[in-house]
Structures are given as structure tokens and as C-alpha cells.
Amino acid sequence: SELTQDPAVSVAVGQTVTITCQGDSLRNSYASWYQKKPGQAPLFVVYGKNYRPSGIPERFSSSRSGNTASLIISGALAEDEADYYCNSRDSSTNLYVFGSGTKVTVL
Amino acid sequence: QVQLQESGPGQVKPSQTLSLTCSVSGGSISISGHYWSWIRHPPGKGLEWIGNIFYSGATYYQPSLESRITISLDTTKNQFSLTLSSVTAADTAVYYCARLYSGYAGDAFDIWGQGRDVTVSS
């Protein structure tokens, strides 16, 4: 089971960017999303049907349609510049897989 | 507040065994509903899920690594461990331990350790 992400996207400060993740496992399982900055541990930002852990700003949201999950950053800030990874579980094997990652540049 | 901390050698020789431990504080490792996981980040590449262990001891491994890895629990020390045998340079990575929440709302690696940088080199 694989999850495919666009390698890179860019967004102007204050604009909205959508990061997509495609894979067959997403038809039966929700994705979770992680922000990764150099030298830091990944930060869990959204999971399931658009749930955010405490402390994560409301500008981070998620959606799913068919085999595609999306992370939406509404009103991007310079501090959102990072790599973003999706993850999901293959419901038939209970094994997990990370997407290939998307580098987000905030202009 | 649950916290995780990896420990273990920062350098391992090729063909030897990598051993890492994750110490869990602020909560019990034996709580149902949570899995305990290992994830790695090789330089210049993406995150890679290595495997999970449930509080019962049930394990789930990345198929490409399954023949070389063991994840185990030590409930007396509130720790879990990773061993990876026959390492090569391709196993050089930052290794993270993480808690996996799995529930009706979905799954998420919700708490992470700081990471342990491991280099495979002679």
C-alpha cells in the first residue's frame, strides 16, 4: 500500500494551500497529517474526520474524497513552511504507511 | 502528560545489531487503546513506519524490515524497544518512538520522542 503526495507546493502568506495524499488505503481509513521541520520531531496536526489536537491552529483542516485525503492550510503563515506527511492504516493488514511528503514553501 | 524519550548508541557498525529503547513517562504503557511505535527518517528521504506493539504484546512490522526487526515491551520499566539486525548504511536515520492512538475517530501518532540520530558506519 502506498500513499502519493506532490513533492512541493508554494503559497503566498495569507493564502490557502491544499496538500493532497492519494492511495487505496484511504478508501477505508482516514489519514493523519504531520508537520516536519528540520531538526524537530514530527508534529501531529490533524487526523480522522478533521480533528485537531489541542494547540494546533484552526487554519489546519482536513478532508477526504474517495482515495484522496487533503490537508488544507487556510491563511498560511511563514511559520507553516515545512514538510508535510500523510499517514494511514491499511485496514486489511493493520500496517501503516507514510506518504512521500510535500515540501510547503510560504512566499 | 505522557512523554517519550529514545536512548541507545548513536553509531553502529555494518552487519551489527541496532538496539534502541523508548522510555515512557507520565502514563502507563499498559493502557489499552494505544499502540507503541517506531518510525525512522533517513537523511534526504521521507518518514518510514517501522512497526507497532500493542499493550498485549501483539506486533505489526513493516514488511520490508520484518525479517530483521523485533519490537518488545517491558512493562516493569514502562519501556519498549527496537532491535534491527544486520544493519547497513541504508539504516542510517533519525529513529523516533511514538504513541499511536487508534480509535473510532481514526488513527494518529499523537505523541513523539525527540528522536535518536543513528549512523551505520565502520
Side-chain angles (χ1 to χ4, degrees), chain A residues 30-32 34 36 39-44 46-49 51 83 85 87 89 93-100, chain B residues 35 39 41 45-49 52 60-63 96 100-102 104-110 112-115:
Chain A
Y30 284 103
S32 55
Y34 304 86
K36 179 71 173 72
Q40 297 182 17
L43 175 67
F44 155 51
V46 176
Y47 82 109
K49 208 172 187 179
Y51 297 105
D83 294 330
Y85 293 88
N87 179 276
R89 176 171 57 93
T93 62
N94 264 348
L95 304 181
Y96 290 78
V97 62
F98 281 95
S100 45
Chain B
Y35 292 77
I39 294 155
H41 192 195
K45 297 186 178 181
L47 296 173
E48 181 180 28
W49 173 75
N52 296 336
Y60 304 86
Y61 296 146
Q62 165 70 255
Y96 296 97
L100 172 65
Y101 165 79
S102 182
Y104 77 95
D107 301 350
F109 298 98
D110 63 347
W112 294 68
Q114 294 179 334

Side-chain angles (χ1 to χ4, degrees), chain A residues 44-81:
Chain A
F44 155 51
V45 293
V46 176
Y47 82 109
K49 208 172 187 179
N50 197 20
Y51 297 105
R52 284 186 315 278
S54 64
I56 299 300
E58 291 183 3
R59 64 179 181 273
F60 291 92
S61 63
S62 65
S63 66
R64 182 182 75 168
S65 178
N67 73 336
T68 300
S70 300
L71 173 68
I72 303 112
I73 308 176
S74 305
L77 302 178
E79 66 200 52
D80 299 332
E81 186 163 289

Side-chain angles (χ1 to χ4, degrees), chain B residues 68-80:
Chain B
R68 298 195 290 130
I69 62 175
T70 301
I71 298 176
S72 59
L73 279 177
D74 186 337
T75 56
T76 63
K77 294 182 178 179
N78 220 37
Q79 295 175 337
F80 62 104

